[in-house]
Amino acid sequence: MSKLVFWIFHFLSRWMLRIYYPGMEVENLQNANHPGPTLLCGNHPNTLIDPLIVGIHLDYQTYFLANAAMWINPVMAFLIDPFCIPVARPQDKQAGATKGMDTDEIFNRTFAGLEAGEVVYIAPEGASELERKLRRLKGGAASMALEAENRNDWKLGLSVQPVGVNYESPTTCFSRAFIRYGEPIDVTPYREQFEESPMRAIRALTNVLTDQMQGLLIQTQNKAEEHLLRPIERAIQNERPMKVSDHHYRTQRILAALRKMPEDNLEALRETATSYDQLLRKNGQLDVEFSNHPDRKMTAGTLLALPFYLYGLLNHAPWLLAINGIWKALGIDRGYKATVQTLGSWIVLPILYLLQVLAFNWIFPASWGWLYLLSLPISGLFALKYWLTYRAFWKGRFSGSSADNKQLEALRAQMLRAVPEV
């Protein structure tokens, strides 16, 4: 039963995340996509999406260490319990979670999965935070890996598999994502150290894991550096678009170049970038509106495809209203926005499609409902592509005052001139 439920979730997650993250790319999947006991260690900026977006690419069943608060809902608990292991954090206990309190039970269920040759996912940071860096790793992942080998006389063949998930916008649906699987870490070389001092071996393995995971991410040093990098990389991408993997490496080069700038020049750039970003936010505008890229220009496709876009938008307006309504009604942290909207669509979208087809057949009882049903997903995907391509053109026609737009254009040009070439 657990395998059936898992593969249903796996199938639904794979096609849904491909829609919600259409620009997703994967690097070095072969490092992780193999049988054998594997502790899959990923960063955690986007709540439930992180383990899903890492696991959907693997051809093997994956078990997940998950927040115990998810077991409070009995329906959710029934669905996830066969392949998820509850871990109670202090905030989960305050929320009323009763699962995941026993540390020995957590470790024993994890060991059972690893000893059966399974893949087990863990987020060593411990909690999900919207930061552009890997936070300090806890020792649980290293402790589990080393103790699992120790229990099996160091013959288990366990590997610790680092993975980094890079979102261009963690809280936004349809963001591009770049998933990078690093080189697996063999834990057997830590045997002697573990037998002499388990804590020293755990720290050593955690340090190696930290270094490898940081190398898979855009690793900012602090919030000030993160706030400086965001408007710069966004403007450069809108001016010179690249696929998500190339943009990731370009952003790493931009960050390295910024760190080499003289302090006076860096401070002047920070003031310009901050002023530009704050004015954009104040006006509710996007950087892409000020790009000189051809997608901002009027083309035949912009006008000819508009009716098809409007058809797709009209037919998916109930879905957009529903998932945004669910998000607002829950009133939870914005870090869960993309998660709620993505997972909620598993249920909401099929139901709305069914209701729309029934309404269509009632209004037009000529047995054309099947054709209308076929048009729904096709028009939805078309509308998504059109919106991602041409939204800047249409939004730029109606947003911002003339004076503010001129100021934004000047600040943007000044900011880009100050950024070193990469």
Side-chain angles (χ1 to χ4, degrees):
M1 178 63 180
S2 66
K3 286 189 178 294
L4 176 63
V5 174
F6 171 82
W7 288 114
I8 290 174
F9 268 101
H10 189 276
F11 171 76
L12 291 173
S13 300
R14 177 169 285 187
W15 72 261
M16 187 63 73
L17 289 177
R18 281 293 182 185
I19 293 173
Y20 270 80
Y21 296 88
M24 180 164 53
E25 289 186 56
V26 179
E27 179 183 79
N28 292 328
L29 177 59
Q30 72 279 0
N31 287 341
N33 199 24
H34 54 75
T38 302
L39 195 62
L40 188 61
C41 300
N43 59 315
H44 203 21
N46 196 1
T47 62
L48 293 179
I49 297 297
D50 299 328
L52 292 178
I53 210 168
V54 166
I56 61 170
H57 306 288
L58 305 183
D59 299 326
Y60 303 91
Q61 182 168 354
T62 305
Y63 292 84
F64 303 92
L65 272 71
N67 300 337
M70 295 173 64
W71 273 257
I72 295 175
N73 184 307
V75 176
M76 178 66 77
F78 173 78
L79 292 174
I80 67 175
D81 194 64
F83 54 87
C84 288
I85 302 169
V87 180
R89 306 166 302 167
Q91 57 266 46
D92 298 325
K93 296 175 184 177
Q94 293 174 4
T98 57
K99 288 271 190 178
M101 302 290 185
D102 188 343
T103 303
D104 290 337
E105 180 186 357
I106 296 168
F107 273 71
N108 287 335
R109 286 192 63 180
T110 304
F111 295 147
L114 294 173
E115 288 166 359
E118 304 287 359
V119 179
V120 178
Y121 173 91
I122 183 173
E125 292 170 290
S128 177
E129 294 290 343
L130 291 171
E131 292 182 323
R132 197 77 179 278
K133 66 177 181 178
L134 184 74
R135 284 165 291 115
R136 184 174 179 274
L137 300 190
K138 301 184 184 302
S143 178
M144 286 178 178
L146 293 167
E147 184 58 37
E149 280 289 1
N150 187 55
R151 284 165 51 114
N152 290 273
D153 197 27
W154 299 88
K155 297 177 181 178
L156 186 58
L158 171 69
S159 64
V160 175
Q161 175 63 60
V163 58
V165 182
N166 299 272
Y167 303 95
E168 290 189 349
S169 179
T171 62
T172 305
C173 294
F174 313 120
S175 165
R176 301 196 305 174
F178 184 33
I179 298 91
R180 303 179 62 194
Y181 295 90
E183 291 287 339
I185 303 170
D186 181 11
V187 301
T188 53
Y190 295 88
R191 176 176 183 174
E192 183 177 343
Q193 192 176 33
F194 182 82
E195 291 174 346
E196 292 178 359
S197 172
M199 287 307 300
R200 193 177 306 145
I202 291 169
R203 282 196 299 270
L205 180 54
T206 300
N207 289 339
V208 171
L209 180 60
T210 298
D211 290 341
Q212 288 213 23
M213 290 182 68
Q214 285 180 346
L216 300 172
L217 304 171
I218 304 297
Q219 182 73 12
T220 57
Q221 294 175 341
N222 49 50
K223 283 291 184 183
E225 190 173 72
E226 180 180 343
H227 292 159
L228 172 62
L229 180 63
R230 282 287 186 189
I232 292 172
E233 64 159 328
R234 187 167 53 229
I236 291 176
Q237 169 64 13
N238 288 331
E239 215 50 47
R240 303 195 301 273
M242 286 183 170
K243 63 180 184 178
V244 66
S245 55
D246 291 339
H247 176 56
H248 170 87
Y249 290 115
R250 179 173 62 185
T251 301
Q252 287 187 329
R253 294 194 299 271
I254 292 170
L255 187 56
L258 292 176
R259 290 172 179 168
K260 294 178 181 177
M261 288 180 66
E263 186 59 37
D264 290 346
N265 294 355
L266 184 63
E267 188 57 36
L269 175 58
R270 180 175 285 111
E271 290 180 8
T272 303
T274 301
S275 298
Y276 175 64
D277 194 47
Q278 288 178 347
L279 187 54
L280 279 178
R281 293 174 184 274
K282 176 186 173 184
N283 293 349
Q285 292 176 274
L286 301 172
D287 171 85
V288 71
E289 297 173 40
F290 301 94
S291 169
N292 292 309
H293 191 267
D295 283 347
R296 283 207 66 239
K297 311 301 180 185
M298 174 70 75
T299 65
T302 311
L303 291 178
L304 292 176
L306 183 59
F308 300 98
Y309 164 72
L310 294 175
Y311 175 80
L313 179 63
L314 177 65
N315 280 288
H316 289 80
W319 162 69
L320 291 170
L321 292 172
I323 59 171
N324 282 315
I326 292 170
W327 154 248
K328 291 179 181 177
L330 290 174
I332 56 179
D333 184 83
R334 69 189 181 98
Y336 286 84
K337 183 177 181 180
T339 297
V340 169
Q341 292 180 335
T342 302
L343 300 185
S345 294
W346 284 1
I347 301 172
V348 172
L349 198 57
I351 291 175
L352 288 178
Y353 275 4
L354 175 62
L355 294 176
Q356 287 170 246
V357 171
L358 291 175
F360 182 91
N361 283 333
W362 179 66
I363 298 171
F364 304 103
S367 301
W368 289 104
W370 65 270
L371 188 59
Y372 175 65
L373 175 60
L374 182 62
S375 77
L376 289 177
I378 295 173
S379 65
L381 292 172
F382 181 87
L384 173 59
K385 178 64 176 177
Y386 185 96
W387 178 76
L388 292 174
T389 303
Y390 296 117
R391 64 172 175 159
F393 172 81
W394 291 112
K395 189 172 176 59
R397 305 280 75 77
F398 308 105
S399 63
S401 67
S402 176
D404 280 348
N405 286 346
K406 287 182 179 179
Q407 184 180 359
L408 284 166
E409 288 173 355
L411 286 170
R412 187 177 192 270
Q414 181 180 347
M415 178 181 70
L416 291 177
R417 283 196 303 268
V419 178
E421 286 291 331
V422 294

